Amino acid sequence: MTDPGTLQLGLDTFGDITHGVDGEPLTHAQTIRNVVDEAVLADEVGLSFFGVGEHHRREFAVSSPEVVLAAAAARTRSIHLGTAVTVLSSDDPVRLFERFATLDAISNGRAEVILGRGSFIESFPLFGYELSDYEVLFEEKLDLFTALMKEQPVTWQGSTRAPLNGADVFPKTENGLTAWIGVGGSPESVVRAARHGLGLMLAIIGGAPERFRPFVDLYHRSLDALGMPALPVGVHSPGHIADTDQQAWDEAYPGFEALHNTIGRERGWPTYNRLRFQHDVGPEGSVYAGSPETVARKIAGTARALGLTRFDMKFSTGTLSHEKMMRSIELYGTQVVPRVHELLASS
């Protein structure tokens, strides 16, 4: 069961290209500046984490999360800053560790990295990787990255990059680097997270969150079998908050529709519609949209059902405006977070 005193609540964004007040899409540059402002507000209202996803396509502005997070680190004081996710398969583990160790220094120990294979494949051809190596790339690079996290000279050999022989990597962190593995629903990925001693971040973007309980149980059993201590479990899910349920739904739906249908045309999904959206924001769905009370109750229910350490709401979706997202962040920090803790304590 989730301890109300330990549950952290955070936010994630992919830097979705939003619409301005004139209804036209903002530039990538303006969107990135807005993301930094959103991180600053998240810190001001007392949230625990702000995550920025890595993508390499026109719908999302952020391809270098660490640079954006470094800008946020210079303007924030307490909030932890990380990725949601870093596509490790198409990156170099050594350079990635160096970048995050640098971010950790700039933020005074607030850097986190969530490692994943990503749900998009654009980075593979962009950086010269073969999709046929999808599995081995992630497994080998994760093995090397976790070795680098010990911050000792590394000797390593694999098939996807040049070997290392007693290589030392700089800068060193002051207190180590926090890392998670992002998992979309594969038992093999859950066991992998346990095997490498990393936190488990479940990306739940469809269906009832309770159906992921077997993955949480598998993670805990795997840790026990490996003789490892308990490690954190988090959930990443989309959402939006406004003063009333209807306002939140009306504001959020156009962005959900636009993004779902853009990606759906590539993947053969059925056209998104309002009926599907209303199901997703209901008790059996994984969209946390509504008034502060509605969202707080849904988060608390998920936290109890899965025994969470952290819940991260993906607050940017498609064309939803920066102004509405800022209001959502404000309500999340000032009303939802204390209400979630209250609900968990009362249970």
Side-chain angles (χ1 to χ4, degrees):
M1 182 174 180
T2 297
D3 182 341
T6 62
L7 180 67
Q8 300 175 342
L9 289 107
L11 291 169
D12 291 334
T13 178
F14 295 167
D16 305 54
I17 298 300
T18 61
H19 284 183
V21 294
D22 59 358
E24 294 298 315
L26 300 180
T27 64
H28 286 81
Q30 184 59 54
T31 300
I32 290 171
R33 291 190 288 269
N34 287 348
V35 169
V36 175
D37 288 340
E38 290 155 10
V40 172
L41 178 59
D43 184 55
E44 290 173 350
V45 297
L47 296 175
S48 297
F49 177 78
F50 190 87
V52 180
E54 173 196 348
H55 294 85
H56 304 270
R57 50 185 294 143
R58 71 175 68 249
E59 292 86 8
F60 308 113
V62 181
S63 58
S64 300
E66 303 93 326
V67 178
V68 179
L69 294 168
R75 293 180 55 194
T76 56
R77 299 182 63 183
S78 301
I79 195 167
H80 281 228
L81 303 162
T83 49
V85 299
T86 288
V87 185
L88 178 60
S89 305
S90 56
D91 209 332
D92 181 79
V94 176
R95 293 292 293 131
L96 181 64
F97 183 85
E98 290 176 337
R99 297 198 304 269
F100 270 91
T102 302
L103 175 63
D104 198 62
I106 294 169
S107 65
N108 196 25
R110 293 183 283 130
E112 299 186 15
V113 57
I114 302 178
L115 305 164
R117 291 179 289 184
S119 60
F120 297 93
I121 61 173
E122 287 82 6
S123 63
F124 286 82
L126 189 63
F127 299 119
Y129 293 101
E130 297 292 336
L131 276 175
S132 58
D133 295 329
Y134 187 84
E135 292 292 339
V136 68
L137 281 167
F138 188 71
E139 186 58 61
E140 286 196 358
K141 292 187 177 191
L142 181 61
D143 182 59
L144 176 53
F145 189 87
T146 52
L148 293 166
M149 287 180 64
K150 298 174 184 176
E151 304 198 38
Q152 299 293 326
V154 172
T155 297
W156 180 92
Q157 185 170 350
S159 63
T160 56
R161 56 152 291 150
L164 298 175
N165 185 17
D168 214 353
V169 175
F170 306 97
K172 303 296 184 182
T173 68
E174 292 176 324
N175 295 292
L177 183 66
T178 298
W180 307 62
I181 292 186
V183 174
S186 161
E188 293 79 11
S189 296
V190 172
V191 175
R192 181 187 289 121
R195 189 172 72 248
H196 287 282
L198 302 179
L200 178 70
M201 181 60 68
L202 295 165
I204 304 180
I205 58 175
E210 292 80 2
R211 68 189 178 93
F212 279 75
R213 182 71 215 194
F215 294 104
V216 176
D217 293 339
L218 173 62
Y219 180 62
H220 291 314
R221 289 199 307 272
S222 300
L223 289 172
D224 287 342
L226 292 164
M228 292 188 176
L231 293 172
V233 175
V235 161
H236 154 106
S237 287
H240 177 63
I241 306 162
D243 293 291
T244 67
D245 286 347
Q246 193 63 53
Q247 181 185 351
W249 299 338
D250 290 344
E251 290 177 355
Y253 176 72
F256 274 83
E257 180 188 47
L259 185 60
H260 187 283
N261 287 341
T262 296
I263 298 170
R265 283 191 290 271
E266 302 171 5
R267 301 185 179 183
W269 295 347
T271 302
Y272 200 70
N273 56 49
R274 190 63 183 250
L275 185 63
R276 165 72 184 279
F277 175 77
Q278 292 302 147
H279 171 270
D280 291 344
V281 301
E284 298 301 314
S286 56
V287 175
Y288 296 73
S291 69
E293 180 67 17
T294 295
V295 173
R297 288 187 174 278
K298 193 167 184 176
I299 292 173
T302 298
R304 282 193 296 264
L306 301 181
L308 299 183
T309 306
R310 192 167 81 199
F311 179 90
D312 292 337
M313 185 180 76
K314 198 265 185 178
F315 69 97
S316 62
T317 304
T319 55
L320 182 65
S321 74
H322 171 61
E323 292 74 21
K324 291 183 174 62
M325 286 191 286
M326 291 289 272
R327 176 60 174 162
S328 182
I329 294 170
E330 179 187 358
L331 291 171
Y332 189 54
T334 61
Q335 297 188 34
V336 172
V337 170
R339 182 60 174 146
V340 169
H341 289 149
E342 182 181 67
L343 290 166
L344 292 175
S346 66
S347 67

